[in-house]
Amino acid sequence: MEKYVLKALQSCPLFEGFSAKDIEQMMGCVPYRLIRLDKKEVYLSAGTPCQFADIVVAGEIIARMVGPSGKYMQITSRPVGSLLDSAFIFGKNKIVPVNMVASKPTTVLRIAPDSMQMLINIDERFRFNFIQLLSAFCDNLSRKVRMLTLHTVREKVAIYLLEQSKLKNSDDFVLQKSRQEIAESFAIQKFSLQRCLKEFAADGMIKTNGKQIIILDRKKMMAVAKMTEK
């Protein structure tokens, strides 16, 4: 197994608690192959069935939902170590509801569903990790639906900035996504996001410098997001 593939699998939640040797032994039990995608190449189109258990080992896959007018909303991004379509692999309805595209040159490790089932059956740790992945998928979906349907634009942006701050463990952080990508993930226009950031800056809540964000007034920001400190 190539080193970059092994390193990617070590970062995959499916293999949490596994040593590198454990992973190589597990993967030696089933056939797999590497699938390479060019930048902007379609991985799966909405309405097509999920036929494989694929893990991103290089690059990134972006999931987008497209409306009748051609307008699309970015649902999520799947970086290295992500299992793709975990909720559809063993479902009766395997139809994927979103378009999935490589945002950069990407490689996925492909396993057939029957091989995936074998791995689930032969190792209790792997089985438990898969169950946790499904639970995380449901939780993330619930959060996404709430974000899109129950929050105003100001609330969405405030929540996002506070979540990024928590991830970086700092009130001074750099956004990893472009303004356009962030706006798409909220199903809003880019100018709405820009206006909101300017309003936050004018209110003394944040300071911006390109992709750098500094939260100046966390208490006020949390009031906008209708969140409480945990």
Side-chain angles (χ1 to χ4, degrees):
M1 179 178 291
E2 296 184 61
K3 288 184 178 180
Y4 82 93
V5 175
L6 179 59
K7 184 177 180 180
L9 294 182
Q10 286 179 294
S11 69
C12 178
L14 277 174
F15 293 99
E16 184 175 348
F18 286 72
S19 66
K21 184 177 180 180
D22 290 338
I23 294 174
E24 289 192 296
Q25 288 179 339
M26 281 283 288
M27 295 308 298
C29 297
V30 296
Y32 64 85
R33 59 195 178 107
L34 298 177
I35 306 297
R36 292 178 170 81
L37 304 167
D38 294 327
K39 182 178 180 180
K40 296 186 178 180
E41 185 174 347
V42 175
Y43 164 72
L44 271 180
S45 296
T48 58
C50 171
Q51 298 178 309
F52 302 100
D54 289 347
I55 299 172
V56 180
V57 294
E60 179 188 53
I61 295 290
I62 290 178
R64 291 172 172 167
M65 188 167 285
V66 183
S69 65
K71 180 182 178 181
Y72 61 81
M73 174 181 64
Q74 184 171 315
I75 303 299
T76 188
S77 60
R78 297 291 187 177
V80 169
S82 300
L83 173 65
L84 301 172
D85 305 322
S86 57
F88 301 97
I89 297 168
F90 300 115
K92 289 185 178 180
N93 179 12
K94 297 186 178 184
I95 302 302
V96 178
V98 295
N99 290 327
M100 304 187 76
V101 181
S103 64
K104 60 184 75 172
T106 298
T107 303
V108 299
L109 183 146
R110 174 157 293 174
I111 310 172
D114 57 344
S115 295
M116 183 70 170
Q117 185 174 350
M118 181 185 297
L119 294 177
I120 290 171
N121 290 337
I122 65 176
D123 194 290
E124 184 178 349
R125 294 172 299 171
F126 191 91
R127 179 166 60 252
F128 181 72
N129 288 343
F130 182 70
I131 292 171
Q132 283 198 313
L133 267 180
L134 293 180
S135 296
F137 176 86
C138 293
D139 181 57
N140 289 335
L141 182 60
S142 175
R143 290 172 181 270
K144 191 73 176 180
V145 170
R146 184 176 181 83
M147 174 72 85
L148 293 175
T149 61
L150 301 180
H151 291 294
T152 65
V153 173
R154 283 175 61 85
E155 290 168 354
K156 290 177 182 180
V157 177
I159 291 170
Y160 179 79
L161 295 179
L162 288 167
E163 287 179 344
Q164 292 301 302
S165 172
K166 185 176 180 180
L167 284 173
K168 304 298 182 182
N169 196 30
S170 173
D171 284 340
D172 185 345
F173 55 92
V174 176
L175 297 173
Q176 300 303 306
K177 295 180 179 180
S178 69
R179 299 283 198 272
Q180 184 64 44
E181 289 172 327
I182 295 171
E184 288 170 6
S185 69
F186 297 155
I188 63 176
Q189 296 294 326
K190 180 180 175 181
F191 72 82
S192 297
L193 171 63
Q194 299 278 39
R195 182 178 64 238
C196 191
L197 291 173
K198 288 179 180 178
E199 289 174 355
F200 285 174
D203 290 341
M205 287 188 282
I206 65 171
K207 180 179 179 181
T208 65
N209 181 20
K211 286 191 173 184
Q212 182 186 25
I213 302 289
I214 303 174
I215 296 179
L216 302 175
D217 193 330
R218 173 172 286 270
K219 186 175 181 180
K220 189 180 290 187
M221 180 74 74
M222 294 188 72
V224 173
K226 297 181 180 178
M227 295 170 64
T228 56
E229 196 75 71
K230 295 181 180 180

